[in-house]
Each structure stands twice: as C-alpha cells, then as structure tokens.
Amino acid sequence: MTAGESLLVDDRGGVRTLTLNRPARKNALDSGLWDALRNALDEAGQDPEVRVLVVTGAGGAFCSGADLSNPGRAHPLRKMRVLTDIALLLHELPVPTIAKIDGVAVGAGWNLALGCDFVVATPRSTFSQIFSRRGLSLDLGGSWLLPKLVGLQQAKRLALLAETIDAEHAHRLNLVTWVEPEDTIDAFVDDLAGRLGAGPPVALAQTKALLNEGADRTLRESLAGEARAQAVNFATADAPEAFAAFAEKRDARFTGRWAIGGAAAGKSASGASGVRQQPDTNGREEDA
C-alpha cells in the first residue's frame, strides 16, 4: 500500500507504518509529502483495523525538517494550516504512536517525532531544533511540546541556541524513550508495537487522551474525565474479557467491541464456565 512515492504505507497485523521516503533529501518535507502525511494520518485515525502507528524515515535518516529548497507558491498561511492539521491529527490519533529514528531528526522532523507517544532512536541519531539558524521560529507543535517534555528553561536552550544533540543526550532530557542499537531497533519496535496492538484499543485510546489532556486540566477536571472514560470501558467487551482471562489464567483477547444491549455482551463477559467474572466487592483483583 502506498500513499505516493514520497510516503510509503505498510500494514502488518494492525500496525501501520508510515515511511518518509525522500532519502536524497534526508526525507525533508516538501508540499507533496506534507499533504500525503496529513491524509495518511487522517486515514489511520478512521481505520478500525489500525491498532498502532509507526512513523519512520528511509535511507538512514528520519527527517531533516521542511524542504526550504523549493518553497512553492502557496501562501504561507496555507502551508501552516497543513502543519497545524498534521500536529493535531498526530496528537489526537486514537492509537499509540511510535517514532522510529535512525539518523537526523531536525526542525519540523524532530517535532514530528516528539508528537508521537514513544520515540525509539539509534545511538547515531542526532537532533536539533534548527529553526533559529534558518531565521524561523518553532512550528509543528514544538512550542507546546518542548516545555511539557523538558521544562521551560531547557526548552529555551534547545530552541534559542538550536544546538545539535545526540541520542543519549536526548534520552537524558526525556526526548527519547529508548535508545536501541542499529541492528536491533527494527525488532525492538516490532515487539513494542505488537504489545501495544494486543492491548484494549478503546481503553488505550482513552488513557492516551486523558494523559494528553491532563497536562492542562485541574485535578477535578481530570477526575471527571477519568470517570467518563471508565464508564465507556465497562461498556466494551474488553473489561469482562480481562476479568475472564485473569480467572482462567490466559492472555486476554482485546477487540474494543461495544458490548451493551446484545447477546454478544453476555457471551464476551463470560469465561469458559459461562459465569460472568467480576472483581471482588472492593474492586480488587484477588490472586487466583
């Protein structure tokens, strides 16, 4: 499956991988790639078969940022609307997202990675908020992401000085989740995506949204959001399936299927014995 020559799309077992494919330009984002990426993120968010999204780059680079060699004739505001769409689509995508980085990730390319839920990089990866060196300010959500991830002072250091840092330094700043060797990063990301894809999709989507929103909410607002989300979780087949799997000492099989008001609800909520599995009256899962 392809979204065009500059963006490759691959589906395997519920994991969709988007590969930026302009290796001659270190996967710099031109107008065609911006549009393809926006469309691909929109499609991934609407496809119920997608359980995890991986974003990576071809040819030994992740992304060298926006391609400034061919600015095109579109009005700057139109260009920025596309960036806004991409940042919001990625942030609000209802599935876990992983940036797999080997090589450079700079400018908008780095912020594209930071917009993902997890960042896995190789030791040879390098990062820079290069904007100020180009006479520009942050975009693709960098002004919002950086302070939340590293604090205001370090965010100013990275943005104003536009330093280049390596993967270990980025890891120490909590800008990279894991650093993996070049020869094992593919297997590591495959395993990570597999574990995330096996999780309860509705519950993971709501947990991701709660965490994203919680950074800007009061405790009271966060608790209210948690209560609403938990009510939705109990209306899917996944919560009773988890209880049944726990009782039967097996792995749960999560589907995210709505299970209210039909025969399927009773069936999915029952174990092999046909008895609905529930936590004890105090809401705890007792050791079997």
Side-chain angles (χ1 to χ4, degrees):
M1 177 181 178
T2 62
E5 292 182 1
S6 62
L7 183 68
L8 306 180
V9 184
D10 178 68
D11 285 316
R12 297 186 187 182
V15 179
R16 178 164 295 177
T17 300
L18 305 181
T19 302
L20 309 179
N21 188 40
R22 300 185 72 220
R25 299 287 303 169
K26 295 186 177 179
N27 303 316
L29 295 148
D30 64 358
S31 60
L33 185 48
W34 282 121
D35 287 338
L37 185 57
R38 176 180 58 182
N39 294 337
L41 291 172
D42 185 44
E43 291 170 5
Q46 298 184 51
D47 190 337
E49 299 300 317
V50 176
R51 301 282 288 263
V52 181
L53 183 82
V54 177
V55 183
T56 191
F62 181 74
C63 178
S64 59
D67 190 343
L68 302 179
S69 66
N70 184 19
R73 303 184 64 181
H75 193 284
L77 287 178
R78 189 269 172 189
K79 296 178 184 177
M80 293 311 299
R81 280 197 295 270
V82 176
L83 271 67
T84 296
D85 290 345
I86 289 172
L88 288 174
L89 283 166
L90 185 60
H91 182 70
E92 296 172 356
L93 205 67
V95 299
T97 55
I98 305 167
K100 181 169 68 173
I101 300 175
D102 183 23
V104 298
V106 302
W110 191 8
N111 291 336
L112 176 65
L114 294 178
C116 293
D117 301 316
F118 304 102
V119 178
V120 186
T122 63
R124 66 187 175 194
S125 299
T126 56
F127 306 87
S128 175
Q129 293 289 328
I130 201 169
F131 299 96
S132 65
R133 289 194 230 164
R134 303 290 181 258
L136 300 170
S137 52
L138 302 177
D139 62 25
L140 207 69
S143 63
W144 187 87
L145 290 162
L146 282 172
K148 284 178 166 50
L149 291 168
V150 302
L152 184 57
Q153 224 172 44
Q154 288 293 340
K156 288 178 178 178
R157 167 206 158 190
L158 291 167
L160 300 182
L161 295 176
E163 298 172 329
T164 297
I165 63 174
D166 61 22
E168 288 296 342
H169 192 162
H171 183 249
R172 291 196 300 273
L173 290 173
N174 294 322
L175 296 169
V176 167
T177 323
W178 295 278
V179 178
E180 285 293 315
E182 292 87 349
D183 57 352
T184 61
I185 188 172
D186 289 343
F188 181 90
V189 171
D190 288 347
D191 177 72
L192 175 62
R195 287 186 285 140
L196 291 167
V202 174
L204 292 187
Q206 294 196 101
T207 295
K208 173 178 174 175
L210 287 167
L211 291 171
N212 284 342
E213 295 162 2
D216 298 311
R217 288 184 170 182
T218 65
L219 175 59
R220 184 176 296 276
E221 290 169 334
S222 294
L223 289 168
E226 289 174 1
R228 288 190 296 269
Q230 210 69 294
V232 173
N233 293 329
F234 279 111
T236 72
D238 287 346
E241 162 64 10
F243 297 146
F246 177 79
E248 297 164 16
K249 295 180 169 40
R250 60 172 174 82
D251 291 334
R253 296 178 290 274
F254 294 120
T255 63
R257 190 160 43 84
W258 188 250
I260 290 296
K267 182 178 179 182
S268 63
S270 302
S273 63
V275 178
R276 180 183 290 270
Q277 305 294 327
Q278 296 284 4
D280 73 347
T281 55
N282 291 319
R284 298 169 309 201
E285 292 180 348
E286 301 291 351
D287 291 336

